[in-house]
PDB file of all heavy atoms in Angstrom:
ATOM      1  N   LEU G 202       0.813  -1.272  -0.034  1.00  0.00           N
ATOM      2  CA  LEU G 202       0.030  -0.016  -0.033  1.00  0.00           C
ATOM      3  C   LEU G 202       0.880   1.184  -0.073  1.00  0.00           C
ATOM      4  O   LEU G 202       0.438   2.312  -0.494  1.00  0.00           O
ATOM      5  CB  LEU G 202      -0.843   0.031   1.170  1.00  0.00           C
ATOM      6  CG  LEU G 202      -2.025  -1.016   1.230  1.00  0.00           C
ATOM      7  CD1 LEU G 202      -2.700  -0.954   2.637  1.00  0.00           C
ATOM      8  CD2 LEU G 202      -3.031  -0.795   0.005  1.00  0.00           C
ATOM      9  N   GLY G 203       2.049   1.211   0.579  1.00  0.00           N
ATOM     10  CA  GLY G 203       2.981   2.339   0.804  1.00  0.00           C
ATOM     11  C   GLY G 203       2.506   3.218   2.031  1.00  0.00           C
ATOM     12  O   GLY G 203       1.463   3.251   2.455  1.00  0.00           O
ATOM     13  N   LEU G 204       3.554   3.756   2.720  1.00  0.00           N
ATOM     14  CA  LEU G 204       3.334   4.294   4.028  1.00  0.00           C
ATOM     15  C   LEU G 204       2.455   5.626   3.902  1.00  0.00           C
ATOM     16  O   LEU G 204       1.613   5.884   4.733  1.00  0.00           O
ATOM     17  CB  LEU G 204       4.734   4.904   4.494  1.00  0.00           C
ATOM     18  CG  LEU G 204       5.621   3.797   5.078  1.00  0.00           C
ATOM     19  CD1 LEU G 204       6.932   4.196   5.300  1.00  0.00           C
ATOM     20  CD2 LEU G 204       4.939   3.228   6.297  1.00  0.00           C
ATOM     21  N   GLU G 205       2.421   6.183   2.635  1.00  0.00           N
ATOM     22  CA  GLU G 205       1.551   7.385   2.510  1.00  0.00           C
ATOM     23  C   GLU G 205       0.086   7.061   2.493  1.00  0.00           C
ATOM     24  O   GLU G 205      -0.898   7.790   2.842  1.00  0.00           O
ATOM     25  CB  GLU G 205       1.895   8.132   1.207  1.00  0.00           C
ATOM     26  CG  GLU G 205       1.319   9.564   1.011  1.00  0.00           C
ATOM     27  CD  GLU G 205       1.966  10.298  -0.140  1.00  0.00           C
ATOM     28  OE1 GLU G 205       3.021  10.751  -0.126  1.00  0.00           O
ATOM     29  OE2 GLU G 205       1.242  10.397  -1.206  1.00  0.00           O
ATOM     30  N   ASN G 206      -0.176   5.829   1.954  1.00  0.00           N
ATOM     31  CA  ASN G 206      -1.685   5.434   1.965  1.00  0.00           C
ATOM     32  C   ASN G 206      -1.941   4.268   2.977  1.00  0.00           C
ATOM     33  O   ASN G 206      -3.115   3.643   2.846  1.00  0.00           O
ATOM     34  CB  ASN G 206      -1.903   4.928   0.484  1.00  0.00           C
ATOM     35  CG  ASN G 206      -1.566   5.854  -0.501  1.00  0.00           C
ATOM     36  OD1 ASN G 206      -1.998   6.994  -0.441  1.00  0.00           O
ATOM     37  ND2 ASN G 206      -0.838   5.467  -1.618  1.00  0.00           N
ATOM     38  N   LEU G 207      -1.033   4.264   3.911  1.00  0.00           N
ATOM     39  CA  LEU G 207      -1.307   3.025   4.891  1.00  0.00           C
ATOM     40  C   LEU G 207      -2.397   3.293   5.965  1.00  0.00           C
ATOM     41  O   LEU G 207      -2.356   4.218   6.658  1.00  0.00           O
ATOM     42  CB  LEU G 207      -0.042   2.788   5.542  1.00  0.00           C
ATOM     43  CG  LEU G 207       0.081   1.666   6.384  1.00  0.00           C
ATOM     44  CD1 LEU G 207      -0.244   0.345   5.664  1.00  0.00           C
ATOM     45  CD2 LEU G 207       1.414   1.542   7.138  1.00  0.00           C
ATOM     46  N   THR G 208      -3.365   2.372   5.880  1.00  0.00           N
ATOM     47  CA  THR G 208      -4.370   2.429   6.938  1.00  0.00           C
ATOM     48  C   THR G 208      -4.653   1.071   7.508  1.00  0.00           C
ATOM     49  O   THR G 208      -4.346   0.116   6.687  1.00  0.00           O
ATOM     50  CB  THR G 208      -5.702   2.927   6.416  1.00  0.00           C
ATOM     51  OG1 THR G 208      -6.237   2.215   5.457  1.00  0.00           O
ATOM     52  CG2 THR G 208      -5.506   4.372   5.913  1.00  0.00           C
ATOM     53  N   MET G 209      -5.189   0.884   8.631  1.00  0.00           N
ATOM     54  CA  MET G 209      -5.533  -0.478   9.053  1.00  0.00           C
ATOM     55  C   MET G 209      -6.626  -0.956   8.164  1.00  0.00           C
ATOM     56  O   MET G 209      -6.536  -2.256   7.828  1.00  0.00           O
ATOM     57  CB  MET G 209      -6.143  -0.348  10.636  1.00  0.00           C
ATOM     58  CG  MET G 209      -5.018   0.121  11.563  1.00  0.00           C
ATOM     59  SD  MET G 209      -3.873  -1.039  12.080  1.00  0.00           S
ATOM     60  CE  MET G 209      -4.682  -2.092  13.234  1.00  0.00           C
ATOM     61  N   GLY G 210      -7.587  -0.219   7.771  1.00  0.00           N
ATOM     62  CA  GLY G 210      -8.664  -0.712   6.939  1.00  0.00           C
ATOM     63  C   GLY G 210      -8.066  -1.180   5.619  1.00  0.00           C
ATOM     64  O   GLY G 210      -8.499  -2.200   5.027  1.00  0.00           O
ATOM     65  N   GLY G 211      -7.064  -0.452   5.031  1.00  0.00           N
ATOM     66  CA  GLY G 211      -6.495  -0.826   3.809  1.00  0.00           C
ATOM     67  C   GLY G 211      -5.850  -2.184   3.799  1.00  0.00           C
ATOM     68  O   GLY G 211      -5.941  -3.045   2.954  1.00  0.00           O
ATOM     69  N   VAL G 212      -4.978  -2.331   4.951  1.00  0.00           N
ATOM     70  CA  VAL G 212      -4.285  -3.604   5.140  1.00  0.00           C
ATOM     71  C   VAL G 212      -5.200  -4.708   5.191  1.00  0.00           C
ATOM     72  O   VAL G 212      -5.032  -5.771   4.730  1.00  0.00           O
ATOM     73  CB  VAL G 212      -3.266  -3.561   6.324  1.00  0.00           C
ATOM     74  CG1 VAL G 212      -2.688  -4.830   6.591  1.00  0.00           C
ATOM     75  CG2 VAL G 212      -2.149  -2.491   5.934  1.00  0.00           C
ATOM     76  N   ALA G 213      -6.249  -4.505   6.067  1.00  0.00           N
ATOM     77  CA  ALA G 213      -7.270  -5.654   6.347  1.00  0.00           C
ATOM     78  C   ALA G 213      -7.902  -6.081   5.001  1.00  0.00           C
ATOM     79  O   ALA G 213      -8.079  -7.252   4.690  1.00  0.00           O
ATOM     80  CB  ALA G 213      -8.403  -5.160   7.353  1.00  0.00           C
ATOM     81  N   ALA G 214      -8.237  -4.985   4.240  1.00  0.00           N
ATOM     82  CA  ALA G 214      -8.952  -5.286   2.980  1.00  0.00           C
ATOM     83  C   ALA G 214      -8.104  -6.070   1.933  1.00  0.00           C
ATOM     84  O   ALA G 214      -8.464  -6.994   1.293  1.00  0.00           O
ATOM     85  CB  ALA G 214      -9.520  -3.958   2.258  1.00  0.00           C
ATOM     86  N   LYS G 215      -6.716  -5.663   1.902  1.00  0.00           N
ATOM     87  CA  LYS G 215      -5.793  -6.368   1.090  1.00  0.00           C
ATOM     88  C   LYS G 215      -5.592  -7.846   1.519  1.00  0.00           C
ATOM     89  O   LYS G 215      -5.335  -8.717   0.636  1.00  0.00           O
ATOM     90  CB  LYS G 215      -4.396  -5.588   1.002  1.00  0.00           C
ATOM     91  CG  LYS G 215      -3.499  -6.106   0.105  1.00  0.00           C
ATOM     92  CD  LYS G 215      -2.507  -5.144  -0.230  1.00  0.00           C
ATOM     93  CE  LYS G 215      -1.612  -5.461  -1.420  1.00  0.00           C
ATOM     94  NZ  LYS G 215      -2.424  -5.354  -2.702  1.00  0.00           N
ATOM     95  N   LEU G 216      -5.607  -8.062   2.757  1.00  0.00           N
ATOM     96  CA  LEU G 216      -5.422  -9.410   3.313  1.00  0.00           C
ATOM     97  C   LEU G 216      -6.869 -10.192   3.268  1.00  0.00           C
ATOM     98  O   LEU G 216      -6.800 -11.316   3.609  1.00  0.00           O
ATOM     99  CB  LEU G 216      -4.934  -9.395   4.739  1.00  0.00           C
ATOM    100  CG  LEU G 216      -3.423  -8.792   4.819  1.00  0.00           C
ATOM    101  CD1 LEU G 216      -3.139  -8.622   6.247  1.00  0.00           C
ATOM    102  CD2 LEU G 216      -2.513  -9.786   4.113  1.00  0.00           C
ATOM    103  N   GLY G 217      -8.008  -9.538   3.118  1.00  0.00           N
ATOM    104  CA  GLY G 217      -9.182 -10.134   3.029  1.00  0.00           C
ATOM    105  C   GLY G 217      -9.639 -10.556   4.546  1.00  0.00           C
ATOM    106  O   GLY G 217     -10.309 -11.659   4.699  1.00  0.00           O
ATOM    107  N   VAL G 218      -9.338  -9.692   5.594  1.00  0.00           N
ATOM    108  CA  VAL G 218      -9.790 -10.018   6.859  1.00  0.00           C
ATOM    109  C   VAL G 218     -10.295  -8.739   7.434  1.00  0.00           C
ATOM    110  O   VAL G 218     -10.384  -7.711   7.012  1.00  0.00           O
ATOM    111  CB  VAL G 218      -8.547 -10.472   7.813  1.00  0.00           C
ATOM    112  CG1 VAL G 218      -7.903 -11.682   7.299  1.00  0.00           C
ATOM    113  CG2 VAL G 218      -7.572  -9.278   7.991  1.00  0.00           C
ATOM    114  N   ARG G 219     -10.994  -8.988   8.596  1.00  0.00           N
ATOM    115  CA  ARG G 219     -11.572  -7.831   9.411  1.00  0.00           C
ATOM    116  C   ARG G 219     -10.463  -7.096  10.055  1.00  0.00           C
ATOM    117  O   ARG G 219      -9.423  -7.617  10.464  1.00  0.00           O
ATOM    118  CB  ARG G 219     -12.549  -8.352  10.443  1.00  0.00           C
ATOM    119  CG  ARG G 219     -13.858  -8.959   9.864  1.00  0.00           C
ATOM    120  CD  ARG G 219     -14.650  -9.427  11.021  1.00  0.00           C
ATOM    121  NE  ARG G 219     -15.890 -10.125  10.396  1.00  0.00           N
ATOM    122  CZ  ARG G 219     -16.995  -9.484  10.131  1.00  0.00           C
ATOM    123  NH1 ARG G 219     -17.092  -8.157  10.227  1.00  0.00           N
ATOM    124  NH2 ARG G 219     -18.049 -10.165   9.691  1.00  0.00           N
ATOM    125  N   ILE G 220     -10.749  -5.841  10.343  1.00  0.00           N
ATOM    126  CA  ILE G 220      -9.734  -4.864  10.947  1.00  0.00           C
ATOM    127  C   ILE G 220      -9.346  -5.349  12.372  1.00  0.00           C
ATOM    128  O   ILE G 220      -8.193  -5.447  12.759  1.00  0.00           O
ATOM    129  CB  ILE G 220     -10.256  -3.455  11.151  1.00  0.00           C
ATOM    130  CG1 ILE G 220     -10.398  -2.825   9.736  1.00  0.00           C
ATOM    131  CG2 ILE G 220      -9.409  -2.571  11.922  1.00  0.00           C
ATOM    132  CD1 ILE G 220     -10.884  -1.408   9.690  1.00  0.00           C
ATOM    133  N   THR G 221     -10.460  -5.895  12.976  1.00  0.00           N
ATOM    134  CA  THR G 221     -10.080  -6.548  14.408  1.00  0.00           C
ATOM    135  C   THR G 221      -9.094  -7.684  14.423  1.00  0.00           C
ATOM    136  O   THR G 221      -8.353  -7.748  15.402  1.00  0.00           O
ATOM    137  CB  THR G 221     -11.452  -6.911  15.017  1.00  0.00           C
ATOM    138  OG1 THR G 221     -12.087  -7.976  14.079  1.00  0.00           O
ATOM    139  CG2 THR G 221     -12.323  -5.845  15.155  1.00  0.00           C
ATOM    140  N   VAL G 222      -8.896  -8.349  13.407  1.00  0.00           N
ATOM    141  CA  VAL G 222      -7.997  -9.409  13.255  1.00  0.00           C
ATOM    142  C   VAL G 222      -6.489  -8.812  13.326  1.00  0.00           C
ATOM    143  O   VAL G 222      -5.649  -9.435  13.912  1.00  0.00           O
ATOM    144  CB  VAL G 222      -8.136 -10.154  11.928  1.00  0.00           C
ATOM    145  CG1 VAL G 222      -6.972 -11.206  11.810  1.00  0.00           C
ATOM    146  CG2 VAL G 222      -9.390 -10.919  11.792  1.00  0.00           C
ATOM    147  N   LEU G 223      -6.316  -7.602  12.783  1.00  0.00           N
ATOM    148  CA  LEU G 223      -5.038  -7.000  12.687  1.00  0.00           C
ATOM    149  C   LEU G 223      -4.429  -6.701  14.113  1.00  0.00           C
ATOM    150  O   LEU G 223      -3.285  -6.701  14.326  1.00  0.00           O
ATOM    151  CB  LEU G 223      -4.979  -5.792  11.799  1.00  0.00           C
ATOM    152  CG  LEU G 223      -5.220  -5.898  10.397  1.00  0.00           C
ATOM    153  CD1 LEU G 223      -5.238  -4.605   9.660  1.00  0.00           C
ATOM    154  CD2 LEU G 223      -4.278  -6.947   9.805  1.00  0.00           C
ATOM    155  N   TYR G 224      -5.339  -6.385  15.114  1.00  0.00           N
ATOM    156  CA  TYR G 224      -5.047  -6.108  16.405  1.00  0.00           C
ATOM    157  C   TYR G 224      -4.471  -7.162  17.024  1.00  0.00           C
ATOM    158  O   TYR G 224      -3.839  -7.018  18.214  1.00  0.00           O
ATOM    159  CB  TYR G 224      -6.232  -5.426  17.221  1.00  0.00           C
ATOM    160  CG  TYR G 224      -6.605  -4.038  16.705  1.00  0.00           C
ATOM    161  CD1 TYR G 224      -7.709  -3.988  15.889  1.00  0.00           C
ATOM    162  CD2 TYR G 224      -5.886  -3.050  16.982  1.00  0.00           C
ATOM    163  CE1 TYR G 224      -8.090  -2.773  15.348  1.00  0.00           C
ATOM    164  CE2 TYR G 224      -6.178  -1.802  16.519  1.00  0.00           C
ATOM    165  CZ  TYR G 224      -7.297  -1.598  15.704  1.00  0.00           C
ATOM    166  OH  TYR G 224      -7.562  -0.349  15.253  1.00  0.00           O
ATOM    167  N   GLY G 225      -4.484  -8.380  16.556  1.00  0.00           N
ATOM    168  CA  GLY G 225      -3.714  -9.524  17.085  1.00  0.00           C
ATOM    169  C   GLY G 225      -2.227  -9.414  16.716  1.00  0.00           C
ATOM    170  O   GLY G 225      -1.487 -10.280  17.318  1.00  0.00           O
TER     171      GLY G 225
END
């Protein structure tokens, strides 16, 4: 995604998971 566009939601969407999963 690149640091400039980095969001928790963006990473979650790219991985196909819910945002809450990332908090693990």
